[in-house]
Amino acid sequence: MKLRTLLRTNWLATFRLNYKACGWGAVVRMPIKVYGPLKLSLRGRIVLPEGSPRNTLVINSEHEDYTAVSGRTELNIMGTWGVGGFLRIGPDSCIAIEKGARLETGAGTYLGRDTQIHCYHRISIGQGVFAGETYICDSTIHQIISAGRTKPMSGEVIIGDGTYLGFRTILLKGTVIPPRSVVGSGAVCISDYSRHGTEKLFICGNPAAVKATDVTAKL
């Protein structure tokens, strides 16, 4: 192990997260690795695949080491976080999972720096997803009444496999992004886009709309 890696590792947070997730065996194997500062509140569960290898989940990931960390990543886990495989989370991010809620992240996914995920019900992020400075929230947090009718506060957010979420995208409750789609930078997604196609959509705008139905052919 390189000296630089040893010095950057937040050993206390690394040991604590591994023990909470998988017990003493994980403390030796270290499937979870934390670099740099971390604000941690862990009253829920982090569920890893059985026998996960070293560095399955990396927080403050080195893949964004080209810029200085300006703050600290925050984890507030009161519900359940199901980690499906290799996951990298960039610095200065925030993941909050409320009691009774579930966040699912697929293997091979990269969540870039300044990513914020606020899970009050259920958020599912597929395999091979890339996100940069993305904000995801599955609740309005407060009650909304429209035309005399009270709207539900929470709704699932589902992001399909292989999706690319551009810089500073926002995904709110009820959003469904089909697999292998591209969401343009600055898009605000508020609905189920799968009705426009089962995959490869190009989605952009505020509020976001489908601009192409075969992203590989038209971009």
Side-chain angles (χ1 to χ4, degrees), residues 27 38-39 49 83 101 109 131 150 162 179 201 205:
V27 174
L38 175 71
K39 181 179 179 181
V83 180
T109 287
T150 300
L201 302 182

Side-chain angles (χ1 to χ4, degrees), residues 188-190 193 204-209:
V188 179
C189 300
I190 57 173
Y193 299 95
C204 65
N206 180 9

Side-chain angles (χ1 to χ4, degrees), residues 85-89 105-111 125-131 162:
F86 290 99
L87 172 65
R88 302 293 181 261
I89 300 173
T105 52
T109 287
Y110 287 78
L111 303 177
I125 302 174
Q127 300 181 30
V129 172
F130 181 86

Side-chain angles (χ1 to χ4, degrees), residues 114-178:
D114 291 318
T115 292
Q116 292 194 43
I117 298 176
H118 300 273
C119 183
Y120 294 83
H121 176 50
R122 177 176 177 259
I123 296 174
S124 176
I125 302 174
Q127 300 181 30
V129 172
F130 181 86
E133 285 198 28
T134 294
Y135 177 90
I136 304 172
C137 183
D138 64 354
S139 174
T140 57
I141 306 175
H142 55 82
Q143 200 75 65
I144 294 178
I145 300 175
S146 177
R149 299 183 62 183
T150 300
K151 293 189 174 183
M153 292 175 61
S154 298
E156 294 182 341
V157 174
I158 300 174
I159 303 167
D161 297 345
T163 293
Y164 177 87
L165 302 176
F167 186 64
R168 293 183 177 174
T169 51
I170 297 174
L171 283 70
L172 302 179
K173 71 179 182 72
T175 294
V176 178
I177 306 293

Side-chain angles (χ1 to χ4, degrees), residues 18 29-32 48-57 85-86:
N18 279 289
R29 195 171 68 252
M30 284 196 296
I32 302 174
L48 297 170
E50 187 174 353
S52 297
R54 184 184 296 269
N55 297 337
T56 295
L57 168 59
F86 290 99

Side-chain angles (χ1 to χ4, degrees), residues 44-76:
R45 299 173 61 227
I46 298 177
V47 181
L48 297 170
E50 187 174 353
S52 297
R54 184 184 296 269
N55 297 337
T56 295
L57 168 59
V58 178
I59 299 167
N60 288 334
S61 173
E62 287 188 302
H63 80 276
E64 294 203 77
D65 196 41
Y66 55 85
T67 53
V69 178
S70 60
R72 61 183 177 183
T73 291
E74 297 187 18
L75 297 182
N76 182 17

